[in-house]
Each structure stands twice: as C-alpha cells, then as structure tokens.
Amino acid sequence: MNMSKSGWLSGIVVAGAMLAGVMTAAADPVRIGIANFGEHSQLNIAIEGFKKALTEAGYEEGKDVVYTESHTNFDASLVPQMIAKLQAEQPKLIYTVTTPVSQIAQKALAGSGIPIVFTAVTDPVAAKLTPSWEEGGDGITGSSDLQDLAAVMKFAKELMPDATRFGIPYNPGEANDVALVESARELAKDAGFEIVAVGVDNVNEIQQRVASFAGKADVIYVPTSNLLQPAVAAVAAAARQAGIPIVNADDGAVRDGVVPASFAVNYNKVGENAGKIAVRILKGEDPKSIAPSKPAYEDHVMVISKKSAKEFGLEIPAALDNCECFVD
C-alpha cells in the first residue's frame, strides 16, 4: 500500500500523540478517597499510618498517589453526602475510618466497583462489614482496632506478677462489653487469671459496683466501653479507694494521671495494617479474599504513670524500668 509523504508524516504525528497519551495515562497517580468521621487524634493517626504503609510500598504522595480527605465532624447524617463527593472523583479505592462511616459507605458504594478498606472498626463481623474474621465482604475489608485481650492480660502480669484475679466492670446492655467478658473468660486460664466481672448499668452505679471488687480482684481492666470510658475518672476514684490498680484500654487517662497504666491499641499500626491491605487491592487482589486484620501484641502501646501508680499503691517491677513507657 502506497502512502504520500504528508500522510506518512501525519501518521507519525498521530502515533506519537497516542504514545504520549498512553505514557501520560500510565503516569497518572492513583486516586484514593479518605472518609473520616471527624477530627480526632487517634483517627488522624490511623490515616497517617495508612499513608505510611502506601509510601513504604512505593506509592509516593503527590506523584504515585493522590488523597482526597474529608470528614463530617462526627455528624452521621452528612456521611452519605461525603461518600458521594468522594465517589464522584472515581477513586481506585476509598479508605473509611470508623464503623458508622464504613457501614454507610458499604451501602452507598455497593455495585460501584470501588473497593473499600476500613479502619478503626472494632468488630467488622458484628457490624456486618465482613461475613467472618476469615474473609472480606463484597468489595470491602480492612483493619480492626479490636484490643487483643490476651495481650492485655500479658501486660497486666508484667505489671503485677502476683495478680491472679482480673476484674472487669462492664455494661450488660452493651453488646461489645458482653462479648469482651465472654472472650476474657475463654482466655483467662492460659493467662493465669480468674475473671471477676461486675455489671454496671449506668454511671450512678459506678462507685458501688467498682467498690464491690474489693477483696475479689487484684487488678481492674476498664474496657473500651461507651459507658465506662467517659466516666473513667469515677471508676478510678472508686478503685483507688478499694486499693486496686487499673489497666485502662485508652492511654489518655494515664497521661492525665487518672489511672496507673494502660495497654492500648496503637492507631498508627492499625492504619498501617489497613494500608498494607490497600496495597494488595491496588495490585489486583479481591477484597473478599483478604481477611480483616486484628492488632497483634506488638500493635499495642503500654503507658505507665509513676505518680498515679504510687497513689494506687502499685510498685512497678524493675523489669519495666527500661520500657520507655513512662509519662512522668
């Protein structure tokens, strides 16, 4: 087939333009939407950890990946609108932070082809985000912030080697609290503990119920209970009177000098776990084939207040002298 010189040159120009377009498209950064519930230190840290994992996998921010971050200031009614705006940008993936945001996103993005990676979700199975702990859901999986109770008990033994009775105040009306107590009972024997659980139905009962641990518990663990954590100062006051040290599920109360110690989930690690899952999905894996992750022992952080420990009559073992976990 004969072609004129002008036609041949035109062909080169067109082919060159097409090749340039392909190269530009190949160089386009991956777009990821980040749907946060609100500005909170732990949630922000989970986002930092997520980005860190992607950076370490070779996704340089601004070059290989671009993030669009949004939050609703903890207003659940605004979450659908936030998800819709992120979806409109046609991201390769959306990172959802907290259970409410993840649940709403799951419904809103069903059938969209946009995978979801969640984080800061305590129990994705109970939240119906995944069918089990062994597999992801349709287009969704992620990292849990479920505290490793076996790890908590291990820390409690390090802090109080002679302790044998593990006290847990809990809200009988809160499913997560009840599940935690059941799990603790299953793990107690291997950890060298006997579980002493006391139900607290409302904040007005805290003083009386926590006081009932006197003579029955050697250490009190305050879980991530929606009833008890906001009232941890009242729990601590009652425990102090009973002479029972506290290990808290959140380190804020330790840093404030309210309780002696905490063994809490490291949200940077939780975010990293989610980021590693996101990388697998970006490389072609089906979210359904990826089991949601749980924090391991090393994904927790111990924090101890010497001042508060003294007030509770707790002598810190020499084995923890170099733990780099003291806040005072």
Side-chain angles (χ1 to χ4, degrees), residues 45-84:
I45 289 171
I47 292 173
E48 292 173 8
F50 177 82
K51 291 181 177 181
K52 177 184 176 184
L54 268 84
T55 299
E56 291 179 347
Y59 291 87
E60 183 181 339
E61 186 172 356
K63 177 183 176 183
D64 306 297
V65 62
V66 174
Y67 302 104
T68 300
E69 298 185 44
S70 186
H71 71 83
T72 66
N73 199 28
F74 299 101
D75 187 341
S77 68
L78 298 178
V79 173
Q81 180 182 342
M82 173 176 66
I83 299 299

Side-chain angles (χ1 to χ4, degrees), residues 37-304:
F37 202 14
E39 290 288 339
H40 184 279
S41 59
Q42 290 178 329
L43 305 184
N44 294 341
I45 289 171
I47 292 173
E48 292 173 8
F50 177 82
K51 291 181 177 181
K52 177 184 176 184
L54 268 84
T55 299
E56 291 179 347
Y59 291 87
E60 183 181 339
E61 186 172 356
K63 177 183 176 183
D64 306 297
V65 62
V66 174
Y67 302 104
T68 300
E69 298 185 44
S70 186
H71 71 83
T72 66
N73 199 28
F74 299 101
D75 187 341
S77 68
L78 298 178
V79 173
Q81 180 182 342
M82 173 176 66
I83 299 299
K85 285 184 177 180
L86 292 174
Q87 182 181 2
E89 295 190 355
Q90 298 183 319
K92 290 292 184 182
L93 180 148
I94 289 183
Y95 179 47
T96 57
V97 187
T98 74
T99 300
V101 173
S102 301
Q103 289 174 319
I104 294 170
Q106 181 184 37
K107 293 179 181 178
L109 298 175
S112 69
I114 300 174
I116 299 169
V117 174
F118 58 72
T119 199
V121 171
T122 301
D123 190 337
V125 180
K128 297 183 179 178
L129 296 173
T130 64
S132 72
W133 283 101
E134 285 71 46
E135 62 179 326
D138 290 328
I140 183 170
T141 189
S143 67
S144 164
D145 61 0
L146 180 67
Q147 197 156 42
D148 185 341
L149 263 181
V152 173
M153 291 181 184
K154 180 180 177 181
F155 170 66
K157 274 289 185 183
E158 291 176 356
L159 186 64
M160 290 160 277
D162 297 329
T164 59
R165 299 171 297 178
F166 194 84
I168 306 178
Y170 73 102
N171 179 6
E174 192 170 327
N176 282 343
D177 283 28
V178 175
L180 180 138
V181 172
E182 291 174 355
S183 178
R185 294 191 193 283
E186 294 173 3
L187 298 167
K189 185 176 180 181
D190 289 341
F193 278 115
E194 169 196 348
I195 300 301
V196 181
V198 173
V200 181
D201 296 299
N202 60 71
V203 292
N204 295 325
E205 295 182 344
I206 288 176
Q207 171 66 36
Q208 177 186 353
R209 297 299 174 88
V210 174
S212 72
F213 281 115
K216 299 176 183 177
D218 303 309
V219 57
I220 291 175
Y221 170 63
V222 185
T224 55
S225 167
N226 290 323
L227 172 67
L228 296 170
Q229 278 302 325
V232 69
V235 177
R240 193 182 303 111
Q241 287 184 352
I244 308 172
I246 283 179
V247 171
N248 199 42
D250 181 81
D251 63 14
V254 186
R255 297 181 187 280
D256 292 339
V258 176
V259 300
S262 68
F263 194 75
V265 170
N266 181 340
Y267 277 81
N268 190 273
K269 289 292 185 180
V270 172
E272 282 188 43
N273 291 341
K276 291 175 182 177
I277 289 173
V279 170
R280 293 171 62 183
I281 294 172
L282 291 173
K283 291 185 175 180
E285 287 192 53
D286 184 349
K288 192 172 180 62
S289 69
I290 304 174
S293 70
K294 293 180 182 178
Y297 181 87
E298 57 271 19
D299 294 338
H300 293 69
V301 177
M302 63 177 74
V303 179
I304 300 173

